[in-house]
Amino acid sequence: MSVAQLLRRPGGYYRDDGPDGAPPVDLDAIADAQPKPEPLNLHANDPYVVFGKDYVPEREFSAHRKQGTASWYGRKFHGQRTWSGEIYDMYAMSAAHPTLPIPSYVRVTNLHNSRSVIVRINDRGPFSSGRMMDLSFAAAYKLGFADSGVAAVEVESIVLAAAAPPLPAIAAVEPASIPLSTETAGVYLQLGAFSARANAESFGASIHKQLSWLDRPVQIQERGKLFRLRLGPYSERGEANAIAEKIRAELDFKPLVIGR
């Protein structure tokens, strides 16, 4: 596949998400992440569903090499909790990936200019079609695509000899709590279903950041062994469908409309 085919979005997609003023650090002096054996996060590697799509994260450290489109995320999420429960730092060498183990390390190479960095995976996403991973602003800067927003990259996992066997999991830091809701009548938009409440809360916080115009609360409903993230209630399916289409236009995925 050519570089041109990998780039499915125009440049400047995240032009409003960079530093608000001069960066507080020397971006050129930021060092790569230093790979080291780490235990798996307790909840961040559980299977989950986002916008009706199933994701099954890897729970072992194994060889991974793939080309695709990378984007980056910055100050809109700076200081917020990642999927792992850690605080996101746009000036750290980190990244989000839908299925690679959390935490793990990968080498990312920009196929346009051959620049390469090592980042630590500590978050989930992106969930828009056509993108393989989200890098921190610092990593995108070091790779030379902070201005353009997206780049065609190659991602190769770094498997440490001491970390090759499955490692025991550690607990995630709980994000700020979204109250559990009871099941009530009405029409809702389901954004995802998670086996861990912490993951549902982390994704709910992400949705709020990306869709600041939402006029309905993000709720978590526990049913069986799953925590379902939903928006609503809406008075009728037509209203809910209109909101779902608006979300699809911004995030490339349409939430499920449930209820009546």
Side-chain angles (χ1 to χ4, degrees), residues 99-113:
T99 56
L100 287 177
I102 290 179
S104 62
Y105 296 83
V106 297
R107 181 181 298 278
V108 183
T109 302
N110 187 334
L111 298 177
H112 272 302
N113 56 24

Side-chain angles (χ1 to χ4, degrees), residues 72-162:
W72 60 267
Y73 60 134
R75 60 186 166 93
K76 291 181 181 179
F77 296 93
H78 186 66
Q80 302 298 313
R81 292 199 183 274
T82 63
W83 202 275
S84 65
E86 300 170 354
I87 299 300
Y88 173 61
D89 181 357
M90 63 187 285
Y91 302 111
M93 297 297 283
S94 64
H97 192 279
T99 56
L100 287 177
I102 290 179
S104 62
Y105 296 83
V106 297
R107 181 181 298 278
V108 183
T109 302
N110 187 334
L111 298 177
H112 272 302
N113 56 24
S114 298
R115 294 184 188 179
S116 181
V117 299
I118 296 174
V119 295
R120 180 174 177 267
I121 306 293
N122 71 344
D123 204 0
R124 291 292 175 220
F127 300 113
S128 297
S129 61
R131 286 186 286 146
M132 182 172 64
M133 74 184 311
D134 264 346
L135 293 159
S136 67
F137 170 77
Y141 173 86
K142 300 280 281 188
L143 286 170
F145 74 94
D147 289 337
S148 62
V150 292
V153 300
E154 180 174 270
V155 177
E156 183 176 7
S157 59
I158 298 174
V159 181
L160 303 174

Side-chain angles (χ1 to χ4, degrees), residues 179-184 188 190 219-223 226-230 258:
L180 292 176
S181 66
T182 57
E183 186 170 2
T184 55
Y188 292 85
Q190 183 164 303
Q219 305 176 27
I220 296 177
Q221 180 193 80
E222 185 176 8
R223 180 183 293 179
L226 291 177
F227 295 89
R228 302 175 188 274
L229 193 68
R230 62 184 193 173
I258 59 176

Side-chain angles (χ1 to χ4, degrees), residues 12-20 72-81 88-91 123 134-135 137 202 205-213 250-251:
Y13 185 63
Y14 282 118
R15 194 163 289 167
D16 64 342
D17 203 22
D20 187 12
W72 60 267
Y73 60 134
R75 60 186 166 93
K76 291 181 181 179
F77 296 93
H78 186 66
Q80 302 298 313
R81 292 199 183 274
Y88 173 61
D89 181 357
M90 63 187 285
Y91 302 111
D123 204 0
D134 264 346
L135 293 159
F137 170 77
S202 179
S206 173
I207 289 294
H208 257 307
K209 281 288 181 181
Q210 295 181 82
L211 305 175
S212 58
W213 48 265
E250 293 196 26
L251 303 182

Side-chain angles (χ1 to χ4, degrees), residues 2 38 48 79 117 147 183 211 227 241 245 260:
S2 69
E38 294 187 67
Y48 62 98
V117 299
D147 289 337
E183 186 170 2
L211 305 175
F227 295 89
N241 272 313
E245 283 295 335
R260 54 173 111 177

